[in-house]
Amino acid sequence: MEIQQKEMKQQNIPNFIQLLKNNLKSKLPGKKAHDIMRTGPRITKTIDYINKTPVPSAVLILLYPKNKTFNFILTLRSKKVESHKGQISLPGGAQEKNETLSQTALRESNEEIGVSTEIIEIIGKLSTIYVPFSGFKIYPYVGWTSKVPDLNASEDEVEKIIEISIDELINNHNQRKKHTTIKGVPVIMPYFNLNKEIVWGATSMILSEFKEIIKRTT
């Protein structure tokens, strides 16, 4: 029965999701895609950042059909969280003991945006990315669900849930740059303008690679 259900699930998978699943198994663009959205010039790292032991963490790009396309979720992190306060992020967080990184991505998505892990199928993962200022080593996963999920933002961790369409992400007009200052250093900051939100840093770098993978499906 379990095998039959799995086969049925695979037969019902939309063409876009199947193509995406296949492309995630091929060689990933990785650093090349990340560098497109990397803020520069790089801010000099202090010895504290260099000596930090990376903290394994995972995030989830959760796809679901809506309005004749596929959407995914970003969150505006609350001011109560320990790191990346007030930033736009993918659902995710640090790995806990006795769980795989894919389980971390699912658990954190359940805790942050209330999506049941039972309805999500992981279809692949993107390249790992290290964030020196927070010490997180991020493992991005891609999953999907066949219907619009019930969403419920965590009061402690999420200030707002933001729905983004795939069409909006791949629209080159929404990929921009601006001059700004970080820690007193003038930089050029690439960012995505998605649903009127500025998405930059590690999240934009992950989405840059995801965008490249999506382009392979067309």
Side-chain angles (χ1 to χ4, degrees):
M1 177 64 74
E2 194 172 313
I3 294 174
Q4 289 177 344
Q5 288 176 342
K6 185 176 181 180
E7 288 176 349
M8 186 178 295
K9 192 174 186 180
Q10 289 174 341
Q11 289 171 1
N12 293 334
I13 190 168
N15 187 53
F16 170 73
I17 296 296
Q18 186 61 60
L19 288 171
L20 199 59
K21 188 174 184 177
N22 293 340
N23 287 334
L24 286 165
K25 294 175 183 176
S26 63
K27 184 177 179 181
L28 299 174
K31 185 177 182 297
K32 184 177 179 181
H34 292 166
D35 284 347
I36 294 171
M37 301 304 289
R38 193 184 299 277
T39 298
R42 293 192 183 188
I43 300 169
T44 303
K45 300 174 187 176
T46 68
I47 195 69
D48 289 339
Y49 296 137
I50 295 171
N51 288 338
K52 271 187 176 179
T53 301
V55 179
S57 63
V59 298
L60 181 67
I61 299 174
L62 176 61
L63 298 165
Y64 54 92
K66 187 175 182 180
N67 299 329
K68 298 182 179 180
T69 185
F70 280 86
N71 282 25
F72 64 95
I73 298 295
L74 293 175
T75 66
L76 175 61
R77 293 173 66 82
S78 76
K79 300 295 174 61
K80 300 177 184 179
V81 294
E82 188 174 338
S83 60
H84 304 293
K85 294 178 172 66
Q87 291 187 15
I88 305 295
S89 300
L90 289 158
Q95 183 183 32
E96 293 187 352
K97 291 181 179 179
N98 302 319
E99 70 178 4
T100 65
L101 285 158
S102 62
Q103 289 171 338
T104 300
L106 291 170
R107 174 182 54 76
E108 286 285 348
S109 296
N110 174 254
E111 292 175 1
E112 291 187 3
I113 59 176
V115 179
S116 169
T117 60
E118 301 296 322
I119 67 169
I120 301 171
E121 178 189 359
I122 298 292
I123 60 172
K125 60 182 179 179
L126 297 168
S127 301
T128 304
I129 187 168
Y130 176 62
V131 184
F133 289 109
S134 63
F136 285 109
K137 189 172 185 179
I138 304 173
Y139 295 78
Y141 286 84
V142 181
W144 86 289
T145 181
S146 61
K147 61 181 181 179
V148 179
D150 293 326
L151 301 172
N152 184 26
S154 163
E155 292 183 5
D156 292 329
E157 299 180 79
V158 176
E159 190 171 315
K160 181 170 64 172
I161 290 174
I162 306 157
E163 291 186 87
I164 308 295
S165 75
I166 290 298
D167 296 340
E168 193 174 9
L169 176 64
I170 63 175
N171 183 344
N172 289 331
H173 178 69
N174 293 325
Q175 191 168 322
R176 307 175 185 179
K177 294 181 180 180
K178 71 174 183 176
H179 292 267
T180 187
T181 302
I182 298 177
K183 297 187 180 296
V185 178
V187 296
I188 298 175
M189 187 182 83
Y191 67 96
F192 287 107
N193 181 47
L194 301 175
N195 200 352
K196 300 180 181 179
E197 302 285 355
I198 292 177
V199 184
W200 67 287
T203 302
S204 71
M205 293 164 74
I206 292 167
L207 292 180
S208 177
E209 184 176 43
F210 186 52
K211 178 179 176 179
E212 293 299 314
I213 297 295
I214 292 172
K215 284 163 63 176
R216 294 179 183 177
T217 68
T218 59

